[in-house]
Amino acid sequence: DFNQKYPNCTVENPSWVGDGVCHGGDYNSKVCGYDGGDCDDFNQKYPDCIVENPSWVGDGFCHEGDYNTYLCNFDGFDCPLHEGYSDESGKGSFLRNNKILVIVISALLGALLQFCIIWFVCVTYF
């Protein structure tokens, strides 16, 4: 029963929780079991991406706004960085064609940022 499994989950359409589609907002929250587990994959791939329709990220169409951001990997690599980054054939974007490079650079930048924060805290307080 929904109320027993998620007693603090108050969403408009409880039947959407665990229906196989990742819904955003209150559905993708701890009290709703991250949409009954539907958002587990999305949250693992895009932990800081907060959008209304998570299932749109990486669906093959470029969505603008909050979707086309660094935190959402530019709509799951659906959006080109900008028009100048298309390949010679005109198909795909620089990001889509170089996913591994982008992921490695993103990871390195994240590690560098964490190192700088730790270094700053240590130098400041110790």
Side-chain angles (χ1 to χ4, degrees), residues 70 104-120:
Y70 171 79
V104 169
I105 290 172
S106 297
L108 289 173
L109 289 174
L112 178 63
L113 178 62
Q114 288 177 351
F115 172 78
C116 291
I117 291 170
I118 291 169
W119 180 83
F120 175 76

Side-chain angles (χ1 to χ4, degrees), residues 34-105:
Y34 302 101
D35 199 13
D38 293 341
C39 293
D40 290 346
D41 187 49
F42 173 82
N43 291 335
Q44 186 176 26
K45 287 182 183 177
Y46 314 104
D48 299 314
C49 178
I50 299 171
V51 291
E52 188 174 336
N53 296 297
S55 61
W56 291 4
V57 176
D59 67 352
F61 299 97
C62 177
H63 304 280
E64 295 297 330
D66 291 337
Y67 299 87
N68 190 10
T69 63
Y70 171 79
L71 295 175
C72 296
N73 285 344
F74 304 98
D75 196 20
F77 300 108
D78 288 340
C79 298
L81 188 56
H82 61 72
E83 294 300 319
Y85 279 85
S86 293
D87 61 17
E88 292 83 22
S89 67
K91 297 177 183 173
S93 69
F94 175 82
L95 292 175
R96 180 177 289 117
N97 295 328
N98 296 285
K99 284 183 181 180
I100 294 174
L101 175 65
V102 171
I103 291 169
V104 169
I105 290 172

